[in-house]
Amino acid sequence: MKEYRIKPRESDLSFLRELDEEQRKAVVESKGRCIVIAGPGSGKTRVITYKIAYLLACGIDPSRIMLVTFTRAAAREMVERAKAVTGKELSNMLAGTFHHVSNYFLRKYAPYVGLERNYSILDREDAESLMRHARSKFLEKKNKEERRNFPQPSVLMSIYSYMKNTLKSLRESIIVKNPKFLDHKEEIAEIFELYEQEKRSQNVVDYEDLLFYAYRLFEEHEEIRKREAERFLWILVDEFQDTNYVQYRMIEQLSSKHGNILAVGDDAQSIYSFRGARYENVEDFIKTPDTKIFKIQTNYRSTENIVKFINAMLPSRSVPKELKPVKKDGMKPVVVKTWDRYEEARFVSQRILELFEEGFKPEEIAVLYRSHSHSLELQMELARSKIDYRVLSGPRFTESAHVKDILAFLRIVQNPRDKSAWLRAAKLFYGIGDRTASKIADLASAYVEEELDPFNELRKVNFSGEYTKFVDILNHLKQLDQPGEMIEHVLSTFYAEYLEARYPDYREREMDIERLIEIASRYRNLEEFLTDLAVTEDVEIQRDVFQREGKITLTTVHQAKGLEWRVVFVVSVNPGDFPNYFAIVEGNLDEEERIFYVAITRAKEHLYISYQIAGTSYPYRGNRFIMRSGENFIDRIPPDLVEVWEVR
């Protein structure tokens, strides 16, 4: 049946007046296969938001649009804005991160890839723990010397993740991630197989599986691919430059019927190759016949002098673009020459104090660096100067021990075969150690296989310690529907007392659990709550975020992507530090150029780029004077576009 669409009236499209000419063109004229190259600060979020609004105005049902982003926050913001613009309900539009979207399809079609629909999702720590278990099982057969030289679980996990995200062979993945272990390829393959077996037996998946299984689902089951591709008239993709090969293939699979894709991104800001991201995806997408290219190049973020500097530092291998500033004039970027890191730290601290006197607020200032270690001298100097700061990196809220403890109970209720959840929860109770916890987990799994209620059956078994208390809590949780109520029950009957007995900061940890209850109370469904926590890449529930005001920000460039500040310091721009030593040695500077580009594009009004002529905290070692050598970003800076300060 052919669809006949009513053209929207002019009044229905009044929202388009809020866009500039480039943005409006990208929204209205994008049909078929399209890519929007969005320069930094050019309003790419508006393009996707208004594209959704435009499609709705053209009569397309929200259920036939799919929006894929890299953070939940981005997806939520775009959907909420589109709702505000159109006044339409968008609850049946599929929108979220790649992991969220993949999970949606896997819950729907789990048996087709060998999963049960109530599978659990392992976080990074649990996945590594399971890899450690598979490694230990394999190494039982090896002698002491062989065990000593074997890659650690974190290294194995890195190779495994890269292999799954890129669809490369194990050999290729080892060469990229850690070539010294190439001789262990066969043994690593055996460990990966043991790891896969463990996941299947426990009905659990890791983050890589979510993407890989969804890709496999569409690749191996043509009828499912056709059904879902028929449903989605439009696929909208944010931050396209950060997609890996599996994600790219999924987009192609789901657009195979109607061919309508709007990919938005900037290849010059692709900085996640260590996760398997391919900025080449932009090149490959553009090379495909009949692809339309739109460029949005009006910069609303930075002043004219900073924009001129950004244009001059465009990475050599990227789609040509020239940003046009809206904000005129402004201070030129400053290149600051210091002796060593201690002097650099003193400069940054003193300049920040001066900026405070000029009326800048702490939260409007950030210091960016290539590696976290570059901030150590600075942190000490800021403390001496009594300047409060926050470090943007750190463990996720859901990866802290006390939150993981609580979630283990809920994971057991949702998927009784989740062995890692049983082990974690059981060992919290007095008198239950590794062996007993393992027996309990094995029994639970066996009862599920026999189609018996594991919680009921475990009541009939006797183990020492507080086993009865543990089983009673689980049986009570099973009767509850609301995840918030479940957490509250665990906290009040057992865990609050457990925290107080073990942690000096138990009050703060208890407050975290109460925050978790608050979040959980928004959900009516346990599976949805656990899934959202597992696949979110949002930082909204991290404790640090609630302490943003009154502190300057210290962060790696990778953590700073997508953020902006009135004042930005980029420190330690020395050969070997930034660009990275290994990139110089390997002659692979493409990504370092893009990381530097991301750093300088975060600044709105003031930009300071500092380097050290000694390049090290210890310029004298023995009788030798140590100088940095190799590729230097400072040498690339056109002198007429910056001021140069020398610290004395």
Side-chain angles (χ1 to χ4, degrees):
M1 186 187 295
K2 185 176 179 181
E3 294 182 2
Y4 181 86
R5 298 195 181 281
I6 303 293
K7 289 182 179 178
R9 290 187 291 265
E10 191 65 35
S11 59
D12 297 333
L13 300 177
S14 58
F15 57 81
L16 292 175
R17 297 183 201 129
E18 297 173 30
L19 302 176
D20 67 31
E21 187 182 340
E22 290 174 328
Q23 293 168 343
R24 189 162 48 251
K25 193 173 180 183
V27 167
V28 175
E29 297 182 18
S30 52
K31 296 177 181 67
R33 186 185 181 89
C34 305
I35 187 164
V36 178
I37 302 297
S42 62
K44 70 176 177 60
T45 302
R46 289 173 73 81
V47 169
I48 296 179
T49 300
Y50 283 78
K51 183 65 182 181
I52 296 169
Y54 182 75
L55 292 174
L56 297 174
C58 291
I60 293 176
D61 191 278
S63 66
R64 305 202 68 184
I65 303 168
M66 184 171 87
L67 167 64
V68 194
T69 65
F70 273 83
T71 67
R72 261 180 82 215
R76 189 166 51 244
E77 181 188 354
M78 291 174 193
V79 171
E80 289 302 320
R81 280 199 202 173
K83 279 170 67 175
V85 167
T86 61
K88 297 194 177 182
E89 178 53 49
L90 301 181
S91 58
N92 59 346
M93 185 174 106
L94 181 57
T97 65
F98 273 97
H99 291 92
H100 171 82
V101 168
S102 298
N103 178 70
Y104 166 82
F105 291 118
L106 290 182
R107 295 285 182 199
K108 198 172 175 181
Y109 299 110
Y112 287 87
V113 289
L115 292 169
E116 293 175 28
R117 285 193 174 88
N118 69 332
Y119 61 80
S120 300
I121 302 169
L122 300 174
D123 66 19
R124 301 286 180 202
E125 186 185 332
D126 287 335
E128 190 174 311
S129 177
L130 200 58
M131 183 68 81
R132 181 178 291 105
H133 171 70
R135 178 183 180 273
S136 299
K137 203 169 175 181
F138 173 78
L139 290 179
E140 284 172 1
K141 303 172 281 184
K142 301 292 180 181
N143 62 44
K144 192 174 180 180
E145 185 61 25
E146 288 173 313
R147 287 200 296 270
R148 190 172 68 84
N149 294 319
F150 207 76
Q152 292 300 309
S154 57
V155 175
L156 292 171
M157 206 69 223
S158 170
I159 295 167
Y160 175 85
S161 298
Y162 188 83
M163 181 176 73
K164 279 293 187 77
N165 285 327
T166 61
L167 299 184
K168 290 187 183 295
S169 68
L170 176 56
R171 177 184 172 80
E172 289 174 297
S173 302
I174 295 171
I175 289 170
V176 170
K177 300 304 289 182
N178 211 319
K180 71 176 277 190
F181 293 120
L182 199 54
D183 291 343
H184 292 288
K185 183 172 78 74
E186 301 305 323
E187 292 100 318
I188 291 172
E190 284 189 54
I191 290 172
F192 286 177
E193 180 52 38
L194 287 170
Y195 176 64
E196 296 287 359
Q197 287 171 13
E198 280 291 340
K199 285 190 292 180
R200 283 194 294 271
S201 72
Q202 296 182 36
N203 192 34
V204 298
V205 298
D206 56 32
Y207 288 148
E208 283 67 35
D209 290 330
L210 288 173
L211 300 177
F212 182 71
Y213 280 142
Y215 158 76
R216 255 187 57 200
L217 178 71
F218 300 128
E219 197 73 9
E220 296 172 4
H221 300 279
E222 187 181 4
E223 73 285 3
I224 294 174
R225 183 178 72 248
K226 284 182 175 178
R227 186 185 309 148
E228 295 298 341
E230 170 64 41
R231 171 186 163 185
F232 294 108
L233 271 172
W234 272 93
I235 314 284
L236 311 178
V237 189
D238 187 26
E239 303 286 11
F240 185 69
Q241 76 281 349
D242 293 331
T243 53
N244 61 38
Y245 187 67
V246 173
Q247 291 162 336
Y248 184 29
R249 290 293 306 133
M250 280 174 58
I251 293 161
E252 297 284 10
Q253 290 164 333
L254 287 166
S255 62
S256 56
K257 168 67 177 173
H258 301 291
N260 294 317
I261 311 175
L262 183 67
V264 180
D266 182 5
D267 58 323
Q269 296 187 68
S270 179
I271 61 173
Y272 296 115
S273 66
F274 62 92
R275 293 182 191 165
R278 295 178 76 246
Y279 74 97
E280 295 92 342
N281 283 353
V282 174
E283 294 177 356
D284 294 346
F285 193 91
I286 288 172
K287 286 175 189 170
T288 305
D290 301 321
T291 299
K292 301 184 192 72
I293 304 172
F294 299 88
K295 292 182 183 180
I296 55 173
Q297 302 172 101
T298 303
N299 180 284
Y300 295 93
R301 176 185 298 155
S302 307
T303 57
E304 183 176 22
N305 280 319
I306 292 177
V307 169
K308 285 179 183 175
F309 177 68
I310 290 168
N311 284 333
M313 302 306 290
L314 183 72
S316 51
R317 188 177 171 183
S318 60
V319 176
K321 67 179 75 66
E322 184 162 356
L323 299 177
K324 300 181 287 286
V326 171
K327 298 176 182 175
K328 297 303 177 188
D329 302 322
M331 180 178 172
K332 280 186 176 182
V334 180
V335 174
V336 184
K337 179 180 177 182
T338 65
W339 173 247
D340 59 14
R341 285 201 181 141
Y342 292 118
E343 188 169 83
E344 180 182 64
R346 287 197 296 275
F347 159 72
V348 172
S349 296
Q350 183 175 311
R351 186 71 193 112
I352 287 172
L353 290 172
E354 291 166 355
L355 289 163
F356 289 167
E357 289 176 9
E358 292 171 27
F360 287 85
K361 296 176 182 174
E363 58 269 26
E364 296 174 329
I365 301 170
V367 184
L368 277 51
Y369 33 80
R370 177 65 178 84
S371 300
H372 181 69
S373 60
H374 301 159
S375 73
L376 300 182
E377 290 88 352
L378 179 60
Q379 288 188 48
M380 294 183 337
E381 189 60 40
L382 291 172
R384 285 191 201 101
S385 302
K386 294 184 169 52
I387 298 172
D388 286 337
Y389 63 89
R390 64 173 184 134
V391 181
L392 205 57
S393 52
R396 287 173 53 191
F397 177 83
T398 51
E399 290 174 359
S400 53
H402 49 294
V403 174
K404 283 171 68 74
D405 287 347
I406 290 286
L407 294 179
F409 288 88
L410 276 61
R411 284 168 53 194
I412 289 169
V413 173
Q414 193 229 348
N415 173 20
R417 285 169 57 186
D418 186 343
K419 188 171 182 178
S420 60
W422 279 102
L423 293 175
R424 184 171 200 111
K427 287 191 291 184
L428 297 171
F429 292 84
Y430 176 77
I432 301 179
D434 288 343
R435 288 178 64 183
T436 304
S438 192
K439 285 178 186 175
I440 295 167
D442 289 341
L443 275 173
S445 190
Y447 291 139
V448 174
E449 290 292 323
E450 294 167 25
E451 299 185 359
L452 298 169
D453 180 342
F455 306 107
N456 219 10
E457 295 301 315
L458 285 169
R459 273 183 163 160
K460 304 171 187 176
V461 183
N462 285 319
F463 285 109
S464 60
E466 295 182 325
Y467 171 74
T468 305
K469 186 177 183 180
F470 174 42
V471 175
D472 284 348
I473 289 173
L474 288 174
N475 272 283
H476 186 83
L477 295 182
K478 194 186 163 219
Q479 312 307 316
L480 301 174
D481 297 320
Q482 305 273 348
E485 290 176 2
M486 293 180 180
I487 298 169
E488 205 158 4
H489 181 73
V490 177
L491 183 64
S492 61
T493 58
F494 159 69
Y495 200 67
E497 191 179 331
Y498 175 89
L499 285 176
E500 191 169 353
R502 280 160 183 79
Y503 296 108
D505 61 344
Y506 70 93
R507 291 187 192 279
E508 287 81 2
R509 291 173 188 260
E510 197 169 327
M511 284 171 65
D512 281 351
I513 305 302
E514 285 165 5
R515 171 69 178 136
L516 191 66
I517 293 169
E518 183 191 328
I519 295 163
S521 64
R522 303 174 196 163
Y523 293 81
R524 294 180 181 177
N525 180 291
L526 176 60
E527 181 188 287
E528 190 184 337
F529 170 64
L530 290 175
T531 296
D532 269 7
L533 280 186
V535 304
T536 183
E537 297 184 35
D538 190 9
V539 292
E540 64 176 337
I541 54 178
Q542 288 188 15
R543 195 185 298 153
D544 278 359
V545 174
F546 299 104
Q547 300 170 354
R548 200 171 271 188
E549 287 190 10
K551 296 184 178 183
I552 69 160
T553 299
L554 307 186
T555 176
T556 61
V557 181
H558 285 90
Q559 292 282 346
K561 190 166 179 291
L563 303 176
E564 58 184 37
W565 294 270
R566 287 181 69 191
V567 182
V568 169
F569 294 84
V570 185
V571 299
S572 292
V573 184
N574 315 297
D577 291 332
F578 196 177
N580 178 271
Y581 166 78
F582 294 104
I584 295 173
V585 170
E586 294 163 8
N588 180 21
L589 288 164
D590 283 350
E591 180 138 340
E592 295 299 305
E593 289 180 9
R594 296 194 297 273
I595 296 170
F596 186 68
Y597 185 77
V598 167
I600 62 177
T601 56
R602 302 306 94 202
K604 294 160 97 172
E605 297 171 25
H606 290 244
L607 175 61
Y608 301 89
I609 299 163
S610 59
Y611 70 101
Q612 308 113 32
I613 54 172
T616 172
S617 308
Y618 308 98
Y620 292 101
R621 195 169 297 157
N623 294 319
R624 290 185 300 122
F625 179 66
I626 297 169
M627 294 290 287
R628 295 284 188 174
S629 61
E631 182 64 35
N632 192 341
F633 285 156
I634 300 296
D635 294 342
R636 298 186 180 191
I637 295 173
D640 59 315
L641 296 183
V642 296
E643 286 184 30
V644 179
W645 294 1
E646 183 171 357
V647 175
R648 295 184 183 278

